[in-house]
Amino acid sequence: MTKTMITGVQPSGNFTLGNYIGAIKNFVKLQKEHNSFIFIADLHGLTSYQKPEDIKNRILDLAALYLACGVDPNYTNFFVQSDVNEHGTLGFLIAFQCRVGELSRMTQYKSKKEKQGKEGIDLGLLIYPTLMAADILLYDAEVVPVGMDQKQHIEMTRDLGERFNKRYGSTFKLPDYYIPEVGAKIMNLQNPTEKMSKSAPIDDKGTIFILDDINITKKKIMSAVTDNDNKIYFDEENKPGISNLISIYSAITNKTIKEVEGMFVDQNYGTLKKEIASELERFILPIQERYNNYRYSDNLYKILNKGAKEAEKYASKKLLEVREKLGIKY
Ligand code: AQP
């Protein structure tokens, strides 16, 4: 039987190469052989304050970018999370089954908490994984392409789904994460022990934003932090900068790490960087062109509306089943 696959990205900043390699690339590769859903996680995007005008634009930017990256609405139900009310309702009901202790142990919560900590921590940040669990369980999704940072949240989704099934009878299918072999965690080019994140400031020299001017992107690659050893091989622990560059090259050219190491065995770091810069140009420019075509077209709204209607058909059935199981459908 065809499995259901789902993934989402928050409109919380500017889409990065890490987001592409960690989640969208695999989704696009797998979309035709699954019952596919992809959504813009705008409710998740509210877990840290954004100006309403900004988030509105980011939703549309991200929608156009998804399509430009190859999300195909002929095969995929493509929608904005808040257009399907069932996400919020199930998220609320799932949160009731979840313990504060397990939420506060989530790695992402712990690291983001430090940034928000000064003025107190919004509850949204803590309960983010319960909404994410609802996003997945609502569609009985079994495959979730994500980067390494989301692995823990998928495991929690399984736990929460299982807990509900045990208490109320079999209701949800339990998902598995699909983590890419290469590029599961693309690192910041200036600080290769930290994840590349889309909430980084636009002038951050270590973050590749897909919609940036290609010359800026090339400069960022050329000034990426490396080491003094001038030997090109993959060793994340001792050579995080070079290993990150190898992962990027490998992911955008679809070559294995071994193949990339072989190609650059006698080369210096400058050559590797130049090659990556020109491969990125080849890869990013067509995406930017397609993005510009989608971004201001009415078709974008039509695609999202149609996707939301389709998604709602699945989601409303599942929510009804949940209410019946809970005894709140009289
Ligand atoms: N650096 C990364 N390498 C590989 N995969 C990554 N992902 C994010 N950063 C990397 C994957 O992209 C998907 C979308 O992520 P999200 O929007 O749900 O939020 P996130 O994981 O918190 O991503 P960011 O870019 O770090 O956003 P901010 O800065 O807003 O927190 C996920 O599948 C994620 O694994």
Side-chain angles (χ1 to χ4, degrees), residues 7-10 12-13 16 18-19 21-23 108 112 128 145-150 183-187 195-200:
T7 201
V9 180
Q10 302 176 59
S12 53
T16 71
N19 297 135
I21 294 175
Q108 199 176 65
K112 289 196 175 180
Y128 171 107
V146 285
M148 188 58 91
D149 59 323
Q150 293 293 342
K185 196 168 183 186
I186 298 297
M187 308 310 257
K195 190 183 83 144
M196 186 182 281
S197 264
K198 72 173 119 50
S199 51

